[in-house]
Amino acid sequence: LLVILLIAIPLTVYLVGKQQETKSKAAPSTTLTFQPSSVTTTVGQVVSFDIIINPNINFVSFVHLIISYDPTKLEKSGNGLSVNTIVFPGFDKSKPPAPTFDPSGKITVDLAIGGSPTDFIQKNNTKVGTLTLKAIAPTDSAPAQITFGNETQVLTGQGDQFNVNVLSSTTPASVTITEAGALTPTPTQGQASP
């Protein structure tokens, strides 16, 4: 009986610990999307997309955001990417996050909630920022895609899973660009000549 107890107690402690470990893992469920998901515009016009994060069950504390677009069809307009500094003030509120723009059509920015765990992003449909681009050339056969790069990460600040990437999926946006002043011919009824 003593031998059974000596084996049963450590085994029970081990199994309970494993069960607790499974429950505490941060399951990736966070999504990033652009709103709207598609736009039709003309050359010379400016288009804007809100970047939306849905953490679902995660507690988001940091986002390493990489956005790619076709620089032969679109270019940065104004600031290009305005970060929602209410949600992502950064660690030093006097130095807001500053995106970098690569001529190849790549935007990179690191976004932090700051140092307080009470600021974790837990609410769905939270606006990360707004991407503003100008249409510079028509899209021919297919719309221009705006995507989140494969290196994009969304980190949790949750318990023992601190800094685990919890990004589960991203949804791109598309822009169809036509020539400025391009008209679609519409059939009209002509008058009969006398």
Side-chain angles (χ1 to χ4, degrees):
L1 183 65
L2 183 59
V3 170
I4 293 173
L5 281 175
L6 289 174
I7 293 172
I9 291 173
L11 182 61
T12 302
V13 169
Y14 173 78
L15 292 174
V16 167
K18 277 294 189 187
Q19 183 179 13
Q20 193 66 26
E21 181 182 312
T22 303
K23 286 182 181 177
S24 69
K25 294 277 185 202
S29 68
T30 301
T31 62
L32 285 170
T33 60
F34 291 104
Q35 286 183 359
S37 60
S38 67
V39 170
T40 299
T41 191
T42 58
V43 172
Q45 295 300 306
V46 172
V47 293
S48 294
F49 298 89
D50 286 339
I51 302 161
I52 304 296
I53 189 167
N54 291 305
N56 296 308
I57 63 169
N58 300 133
F59 293 75
V60 174
S61 62
F62 184 86
V63 177
H64 176 67
L65 185 63
I66 297 176
I67 298 171
S68 297
Y69 61 91
D70 181 348
T72 66
K73 307 293 182 199
L74 299 161
E75 69 181 9
K76 173 179 133 177
S77 179
N79 291 336
L81 178 62
S82 300
V83 175
N84 181 351
T85 54
I86 293 170
V87 176
F88 291 104
F91 291 110
D92 182 352
K93 293 182 186 198
S94 67
K95 297 177 187 172
T100 58
F101 294 84
D102 185 287
S104 69
K106 183 176 176 180
I107 305 166
T108 305
V109 65
D110 289 326
L111 306 171
I113 61 162
S116 174
T118 60
D119 294 332
F120 288 145
I121 300 169
Q122 299 174 45
K123 191 172 118 190
N124 282 341
N125 295 315
T126 297
K127 183 175 166 181
V128 173
T130 302
L131 175 65
T132 306
L133 301 169
K134 182 178 180 181
I136 58 172
T139 52
D140 299 317
S141 57
Q145 295 293 307
I146 302 169
T147 60
F148 295 101
N150 292 336
E151 306 90 3
T152 295
Q153 292 187 338
V154 177
L155 304 181
T156 183
Q158 192 173 7
D160 63 343
Q161 297 302 305
F162 184 74
N163 283 346
V164 170
N165 186 8
V166 291
L167 181 62
S168 67
S169 67
T170 62
T171 304
S174 64
V175 182
T176 301
I177 306 167
T178 59
E179 275 296 342
L183 297 175
T184 305
T186 322
T188 57
Q189 289 227 327
Q191 283 187 309
S193 31

